[in-house]
Amino acid sequence: MGSFFLFLVGFGMTVTGSVTVIAYFNFLPAGLTWVDYFVFIAGRLECYFLPLGVFLLLISLRHFNVEK
């Protein structure tokens, strides 16, 4: 049950982080360069949800795979 909860939390964080990163793509047509874009998202806390969520997903999927 804990692995399933970890999976759901990881999935939610991944979705939140990826939607935020994609939403910030709208700054590129406004004149930001790619370097400015990556510096900007590196300073935003919600953008760190994407790699953290993927990490939690991988941990929970590995745990599911070990149990079988």
Side-chain angles (χ1 to χ4, degrees):
M1 189 68 158
S3 296
F4 185 67
F5 181 73
L6 189 66
F7 179 82
L8 289 178
V9 169
F11 181 77
M13 291 178 78
T14 303
V15 169
T16 303
S18 60
V19 165
T20 304
V21 169
I22 291 170
Y24 287 142
F25 273 135
N26 289 325
F27 289 145
L28 292 174
L32 263 70
T33 63
W34 282 101
V35 174
D36 294 334
Y37 171 74
F38 286 120
V39 168
F40 178 76
I41 65 169
R44 306 295 297 177
L45 178 65
E46 61 270 11
C47 293
Y48 288 109
F49 287 159
L50 177 61
L52 183 62
V54 170
F55 181 70
L56 291 176
L57 281 173
L58 292 176
I59 288 174
S60 67
L61 288 177
R62 182 173 178 177
H63 190 264
F64 280 136
N65 198 12
V66 170
E67 287 180 355
K68 294 181 181 182

